[in-house]
Amino acid sequence: MSILVDRDTKVIVQGFTGKEGTFHAEQCLNYGTLIVGGVTPNKGGQTHLGKPVFNTVKEAIAATNATVSMIFVPPAFVGDAVMEAADAGIELAVIITEGAPVKDMQSAKAYAVKHNMKTIGPNCPGIITAEECKIGIMPGMVFKKGNVGLISKSGTLTYEGANQVCNEGFGISTAVGIGGDPIIGLSYKQLLAMFEEDPQTKAIVMIGEIGGDLEIQAAKYIKENITKPVVAFIAGQTAPKGKRMGHAGAIISGGAGTAKEKMDALKEAGAEVVVSPADIGKAIAKILGS
Amino acid sequence: MNIHEYQAKQIFAKYNVPTPRGIVANTPDQAAANAAELGGSVWVVKAQIHAGGRGLGGGVKLAHSIEEVRQLASEILGMNLVTHQTGPQGRRVHKVYIEEGADIKDEFYLGVVLDRAKEMPVIMASTEGGMEIEKVAQETPDKIIKVAVDPTIGFQGFHGRELVYGLGITDPAQQKKFINFASKVYTVYMDNDAELIEINPLIKTGSGDFLALDGKMSFDDSALGRHPEIEDMRDISEEDPDEREASQYGLSYVSLDGEIGCMVNGAGLAMGTMDTINYMGGTPANFLDVGGKANAQTVAKGFEIILKNSNVKAIFVNIFGGIVRCDRIANGILEATTMVDVHVPVIVRLDGTNANEASEILANAKIKNVIVANDLADGAAKAVAAAKGE
């Protein structure tokens, strides 16, 4: 078991034939992901990486029964691509592209919700169910199969956290990089609920950062609904106010969204909060080792 | 991206959002000429910097004669204006805005910003105009009316009614004027991919008109591609030169006041690295995300920018190599040390794909100043020790 995706998940790639789409789709295929085709307008009928190319998502679904789309289109076309996927009946869109305008994501997300399509990202590493299915740009070899679920806004901290968990002799069920933009798809709350239900997952690592209040909402949810142990880290304890730290959403504005308030809320909710990301692996070992 | 007040008002004017008339000036003479052109008997001389709180800092002054406009402009131009938003170092003033005086009866606050929880823009309004709105939000949050507008339906009548009833505007003619004003400001926000609009104060004049006495706008950087006219408003003298140089090389940089320079791939890990240094008793000198393609050029540029800061006593390079293999990054770091004279200890931690090969490459190169670390904790500890001269 795992959450959202596994070895039988049929995946198409929007922006399949572009440079990034090609490179990462090939990496995913090598990992074992069941990529059944891709979409690039005006390239329908061609074959790319041994898979069929379609002009539209509708055609791709009709021919392949794909349920998940991995989106690599350029930033200005992300909103359009997400809405096309939702309209065509895709169940989960994983949006890798960085730099999509916030206004486009507002309408795309609202449309996705209306069509019951889940989204991950944008500006994220994607989702991986260890040793089964990788939909994204993460280095697959870091993720050994195991029983720790991982949710993170940051790409490299996802790898760092997973690496530590695996080095301690444990492994990952599913890891989801949710992205650090102001508007994102699936967030901690929904993913925590899925990990709570997943029999394979025995503990959850949650990595957050400054800005917004998703981590605060997550803390409330953990307190009321999550019985599995949670290890949490919040990046940006030393970040200055009012400065954007790389991610579009990583900014302490008007004194709100600090690491401290998030850490306090998570502690209060019963999570094991580590001060340094270097302690994520050890914290998991302490919980699962006994 | 931020713009100046006078530029925000140019955008307002395009949408018929009423503002007092004004003209920007670069010199005292220009300021005096602008005042003459505007006419009247009272003018406001306003420092143009990308920060709020200018009035309290002495950057906004009232003048009663053309000569006084010239005098005040010569005082304000070139001054180092310190406000609660500039930090203690302040900002140099390069431009002043000369505006006709306004007859202020009431002061309001009006803002539009993204509500991240609701995932839609929220209009904020308050009767506490002219105050620091963060303070109002903290001390008397009930004095701020918040109306979220779903962009799929846009600004409707009920949004406007919520605003005016919330503000206690009861006269029907006044209500209509205010709703019209707010609706136009919402359109400015949506049309231009704004990230923030703040009008503080929005005033009611003696004759019952609403005017944007101030204007602050910032924009979604990701959307600037479709707004070249806004991109043209960029004032690079307002940006940190190091942050700007870094961004031209695809690096994301923020300077801090500590001693340990950080070079990291990924924003989250970069913040996590700063936090770990702090946790171990050191102080980070900067945030620097080299992005997904750490190679010799980007690493060399990173060293260059970090070393401009004379407080830096050690550099911690923390890279989690994923798709980019660590052995290639190690070679890039070696090459970078030949391109830039790195005179402080450099602690290098490479993890991920081909990490062992990378450690060997670095160890065999035997470069003076380069210290190899095994993991994040080890690297941070070594960097803290090196910065202390241990």
Side-chain angles (χ1 to χ4, degrees):
Chain A
M1 285 294 284
S2 55
I3 66 164
L4 290 165
V5 298
D6 60 27
R7 59 169 57 87
D8 299 320
T9 303
K10 288 183 179 157
V11 182
I12 55 163
V13 183
Q14 285 174 267
F16 190 32
T17 58
K19 192 173 159 230
E20 297 285 312
T22 300
F23 178 81
H24 289 291
E26 193 164 21
Q27 300 266 331
C28 292
L29 280 164
N30 293 341
Y31 192 79
T33 307
L34 194 57
I35 292 179
V36 293
V39 175
T40 301
N42 294 329
K43 294 204 173 166
Q46 296 181 7
T47 299
H48 186 65
L49 305 177
K51 306 291 170 191
V53 183
F54 303 91
N55 283 326
T56 67
V57 177
K58 269 196 187 122
E59 286 168 22
I61 293 177
T64 66
N65 291 317
T67 56
V68 175
S69 178
M70 173 164 72
I71 298 181
F72 277 101
V73 303
F77 307 107
V78 166
D80 180 13
V82 171
M83 290 188 278
E84 181 184 357
D87 186 69
I90 286 287
E91 292 166 18
L92 169 69
V94 182
I95 314 154
I96 308 299
T97 308
E98 177 178 358
V102 172
K103 189 167 81 174
D104 298 3
M105 287 316 301
Q106 280 176 49
S107 36
K109 169 105 189 264
Y111 193 73
V113 168
K114 189 173 160 190
H115 285 257
N116 283 322
M117 181 178 80
K118 298 183 179 77
T119 52
I120 295 174
N123 188 14
C124 77
I127 175 170
I128 183 166
T129 289
E131 295 168 24
E132 292 195 28
C133 175
K134 159 177 130 104
I135 303 174
I137 59 174
M138 61 288 274
M141 41 74 65
V142 172
F143 300 81
K144 309 272 183 291
K145 200 174 195 60
N147 52 19
V148 177
L150 194 152
I151 314 165
S152 169
K153 274 184 179 172
S154 148
T156 37
L157 276 178
T158 306
Y159 319 155
E160 177 72 46
N163 196 44
Q164 285 181 30
V165 167
C166 297
N167 284 346
E168 292 285 344
F170 301 92
I172 299 295
S173 53
T174 301
V176 189
I178 60 175
D181 272 10
I183 291 185
I184 58 172
L186 291 178
S187 173
Y188 299 109
K189 220 164 96 174
Q190 297 100 315
L191 292 164
L192 283 163
M194 292 179 205
F195 280 129
E196 177 74 16
E197 292 294 309
D198 172 37
Q200 186 189 330
T201 301
K202 302 292 181 217
I204 303 162
V205 173
M206 174 186 153
I207 301 171
E209 63 189 27
I210 53 167
D213 75 336
L214 292 177
E215 293 86 350
I216 305 275
Q217 291 177 34
K220 281 185 198 140
Y221 190 79
I222 289 170
K223 196 174 179 183
E224 286 162 15
N225 302 286
I226 301 296
T227 62
K228 295 178 181 177
V230 177
V231 170
F233 169 71
I234 304 294
Q237 299 154 48
T238 47
K241 283 181 186 173
K243 282 278 185 185
R244 205 172 295 277
M245 308 303 278
H247 292 152
I251 181 164
I252 302 169
S253 40
T258 63
K260 185 174 183 307
E261 70 188 51
K262 296 182 180 191
M263 291 166 77
D264 289 348
L266 285 160
K267 260 182 231 164
E268 215 258 316
E272 174 72 23
V273 179
V274 294
V275 180
S276 161
D279 293 335
I280 293 170
K282 275 180 257 167
I284 282 292
K286 210 171 96 188
I287 288 165
L288 292 181
S290 50
Chain B
M1 185 188 113
N2 297 320
I3 59 172
H4 289 294
E5 173 201 359
Y6 79 93
Q7 295 167 318
K9 286 179 172 172
Q10 284 168 2
I11 298 175
F12 289 171
K14 264 201 273 180
Y15 289 83
N16 298 317
V17 175
T19 62
R21 294 180 307 128
I23 311 173
V24 73
N26 298 307
T27 65
D29 284 346
Q30 236 177 24
N34 292 351
E37 191 182 332
L38 290 168
S41 56
V42 182
W43 299 270
V44 191
V45 183
K46 305 170 96 174
Q48 299 295 291
I49 57 166
H50 288 181
R54 293 168 298 161
L56 289 172
V60 179
K61 295 266 168 72
L62 210 60
H64 295 88
S65 71
I66 303 279
E67 249 339 284
E68 203 181 354
V69 169
R70 190 195 311 273
Q71 178 57 33
L72 291 171
S74 73
E75 284 169 28
I76 292 172
L77 282 166
M79 83 183 277
N80 206 43
L81 187 53
V82 180
T83 82
H84 70 279
Q85 287 185 1
T86 60
Q89 73 283 7
R91 288 274 175 82
R92 179 85 51 203
V93 181
H94 298 288
K95 285 185 165 77
V96 288
Y97 191 50
I98 312 303
E99 203 168 58
E100 63 184 358
D103 167 22
I104 303 173
K105 183 138 183 281
D106 270 325
E107 292 186 275
F108 297 90
Y109 167 94
L110 184 72
V112 190
V113 69
L114 174 72
D115 183 324
R116 287 169 66 167
K118 292 199 170 80
E119 301 181 333
M120 53 181 79
V122 62
I123 301 178
M124 295 188 294
S126 174
T127 50
E128 306 300 292
M131 309 271 290
E132 212 179 295
I133 201 67
E134 289 90 351
K135 231 178 220 173
V136 179
Q138 239 164 35
E139 288 163 12
T140 47
D142 53 314
K143 288 197 170 162
I144 299 180
I145 321 298
K146 291 183 179 179
V147 177
V149 181
D150 182 342
T152 57
I153 62 167
F155 188 98
Q156 299 292 326
F158 75 90
H159 295 125
R161 291 192 293 277
E162 270 182 55
L163 286 171
V164 292
Y165 290 133
L167 292 171
I169 300 173
T170 49
D171 174 64
Q174 291 289 306
Q175 289 178 340
K176 202 174 159 194
K177 275 186 185 168
F178 190 91
I179 291 170
N180 189 20
F181 190 105
S183 133
K184 284 176 189 163
V185 172
Y186 171 80
T187 308
V188 172
Y189 182 89
M190 292 307 289
D191 275 10
N192 295 284
D193 281 282
E195 190 175 70
L196 168 89
I197 297 182
E198 271 193 322
I199 301 173
N200 192 16
L202 182 173
I203 58 155
K204 192 169 91 178
T205 64
S207 52
D209 289 316
F210 292 101
L211 278 183
L213 206 60
D214 194 9
K216 184 177 175 187
M217 282 188 85
S218 67
F219 300 89
D220 177 3
D221 290 330
S222 296
L224 286 174
R226 56 193 181 203
H227 300 289
E229 74 292 351
I230 288 165
E231 178 73 56
D232 285 345
M233 290 182 170
R234 185 184 289 275
D235 180 353
I236 58 167
S237 70
E238 286 286 328
E239 294 175 8
D240 179 292
D242 293 335
E243 289 176 19
R244 185 169 168 78
E245 186 185 354
S247 76
Q248 284 167 341
Y249 290 87
L251 311 175
S252 176
Y253 175 84
V254 176
S255 76
L256 304 167
D257 46 19
E259 295 182 339
I260 299 172
C262 304
M263 190 177 338
V264 188
N265 67 331
L269 188 58
M271 283 188 272
T273 303
M274 287 158 42
D275 295 343
T276 306
I277 287 171
N278 181 58
Y279 180 52
M280 296 203 169
T283 52
N286 64 276
F287 166 93
L288 176 59
D289 173 10
V290 291
K293 296 181 182 77
N295 57 35
Q297 281 72 33
T298 53
V299 171
K301 200 71 215 172
F303 279 141
E304 222 177 85
I305 292 167
I306 288 172
L307 288 168
K308 278 189 191 172
N309 178 349
S310 55
N311 293 336
V312 170
K313 298 209 169 71
I315 298 175
F316 181 18
V317 180
N318 182 20
I319 308 272
F320 199 102
I323 301 295
V324 185
R325 299 191 325 258
C326 290
D327 50 332
R328 290 187 58 182
I329 298 169
N331 283 318
I333 292 169
L334 292 182
E335 206 185 321
T337 58
T338 65
M339 295 156 76
V340 183
D341 174 32
V342 184
H343 52 80
V344 298
V346 178
I347 293 77
V348 182
R349 178 264 181 150
L350 293 172
D351 215 330
T353 317
N354 292 4
N356 293 336
E357 291 86 333
S359 298
E360 263 174 49
I361 290 169
L362 290 173
N364 292 339
K366 292 199 173 63
I367 296 192
K368 182 177 68 107
N369 276 347
V370 173
I371 302 163
V372 179
N374 303 320
D375 58 29
L376 173 55
D378 183 42
K382 283 176 173 163
V384 171
K388 287 180 178 158
E390 287 164 13

